[in-house]
Amino acid sequence: MRGFVDGVFAYNFNRPADHANFFPGVGTSAKRDNELTVNLAQVDIALAPAPVGFKLSVGFGTAAEVVHAAEARGVAAHPDIWRNLVQASALWQTKLGRGLLLEAGIYPSHIGMEAFASKDNWNYTRSWLGELLPTTRRGSRRPIP
């Protein structure tokens, strides 16, 4: 088990009246002007596959509020349902070849250099390209060792 907390104080010289630094649905870092806040607090829990394991990561804060803001709204899909889920996947270590490892679930996207977790991001704030790319993906994959 591991985790981190990213706190931020952002100041915008434009002084927006509503304290919003970005338009709705974006702004996963420094979202609010002239406020001290938790941008992202994340807890990761994992069990190594022997032969079955899992990874679970949950996140809270202003960044987590933005990530799923455009999620479809329905019975099993709504921003409030997925808001705090960063990763939930199951792993299976097979005996195929040299031990093929398979993973299925919801996990961070491989697209782009700007990671969702600010501790993994080269720049604290993201570019518009990074901000508008998908942050999660659903499916199965063969993890890179």
Side-chain angles (χ1 to χ4, degrees):
M1 185 156 101
R2 64 184 185 176
F4 68 90
V5 176
D6 166 24
V8 64
F9 177 83
Y11 185 82
N12 184 336
F13 287 99
N14 292 323
R15 305 292 306 187
D18 63 356
H19 293 269
N21 278 330
F22 303 99
F23 56 86
V26 299
T28 56
S29 54
K31 180 180 177 183
R32 306 278 299 158
D33 166 55
N34 203 23
E35 293 181 12
L36 178 63
T37 188
V38 173
N39 184 53
L40 183 62
Q42 184 172 316
V43 176
D44 305 323
I45 302 169
L47 177 65
V52 177
F54 71 89
K55 292 180 185 176
L56 177 64
S57 298
V58 292
F60 305 90
T62 57
E65 293 170 8
V66 172
V67 170
H68 295 288
E71 190 80 39
R73 296 172 191 272
V75 176
H78 192 279
D80 293 340
I81 295 172
W82 302 103
R83 175 180 320 241
N84 303 109
L85 186 62
V86 176
Q87 178 169 354
S89 60
L91 295 101
W92 177 35
Q93 182 71 58
T94 71
K95 295 183 180 184
L96 298 172
R98 293 180 287 167
L100 177 65
L101 177 63
L102 300 173
E103 182 176 15
I106 300 171
Y107 30 85
S109 178
H110 67 289
I111 300 170
M113 290 186 60
E114 299 179 14
F116 171 63
S118 51
K119 71 176 185 59
D120 298 330
N121 198 347
W122 292 3
N123 298 311
Y124 185 76
T125 57
R126 293 166 191 82
S127 67
W128 284 117
L129 179 61
E131 191 71 39
L132 300 173
L133 285 174
T135 56
T136 60
R137 62 184 179 164
R138 295 152 175 88
S140 60
R141 69 179 185 153
R142 181 193 177 282
I144 299 171

